[in-house]
Amino acid sequence: MTLDRLDDPDYPTVAMGQAAHLLEVEPAFLRSLDSAGVVNPHRSAGGHRRYSRNQLEQAARLRTLLDEGHPLGSASWIDRLRGELADSEDRLGAAHREIERLRTELAQLQTELGATVRPNP
């Protein structure tokens, strides 16, 4: 048996009662997120809900938005858009890093080429 799955943020390890305790919410809150199709936990063989770390983080973000007065549909939309924005920012940052790497490589190649090419007398 390996414990690698415990490092997987998508692996469902937390039971509903534990999840509610960690998030400081009532289990009914988590059930309402599941019923609305916003956070869909894995079901054990016995039908018990099991939450992953990613799902717990999503539920916590939704709770914050709901506490700020957003309806569930809007809170879900805002959370999804924020996630997409973060992904886009990550991709943009990676693209900028690649551009800088290529600029450095080009400068090195130009330096090497300049050192090997001598002007004709």
Side-chain angles (χ1 to χ4, degrees):
M1 179 175 154
T2 69
L3 297 178
D4 294 339
R5 292 182 288 188
L6 295 176
D7 292 330
D8 181 355
D10 290 314
Y11 186 74
T13 58
V14 182
M16 164 111 71
Q18 294 168 316
H21 177 74
L22 288 169
L23 297 174
E24 298 178 345
V25 298
E26 294 296 321
F29 172 75
L30 294 172
R31 283 192 296 274
S32 71
L33 295 180
D34 188 13
S35 295
V38 179
V39 178
N40 301 99
H42 175 77
R43 298 288 182 138
S44 69
H48 299 282
R49 291 173 175 92
R50 298 276 186 235
Y51 293 87
S52 68
R53 285 195 321 263
N54 282 338
Q55 289 172 323
L56 293 177
E57 290 170 1
Q58 181 186 13
R61 291 189 308 269
L62 291 170
R63 179 180 180 213
T64 299
L65 290 166
L66 292 168
D67 287 348
E68 291 172 357
H70 297 281
L72 182 56
S74 297
S76 177
W77 184 254
I78 291 167
D79 186 55
R80 186 171 66 243
L81 289 175
R82 284 179 176 171
E84 290 175 8
L85 178 60
D87 291 344
S88 294
E89 288 171 341
D90 289 345
R91 287 192 308 274
L92 182 59
H96 282 295
R97 288 187 297 278
E98 179 65 7
I99 289 168
E100 286 307 311
R101 185 191 70 75
L102 291 170
R103 282 184 177 153
T104 301
E105 185 179 330
L106 177 61
Q108 290 172 345
L109 289 171
Q110 288 172 332
T111 300
E112 291 172 12
L113 182 61
T116 60
V117 175
R118 297 194 175 117
N120 290 332

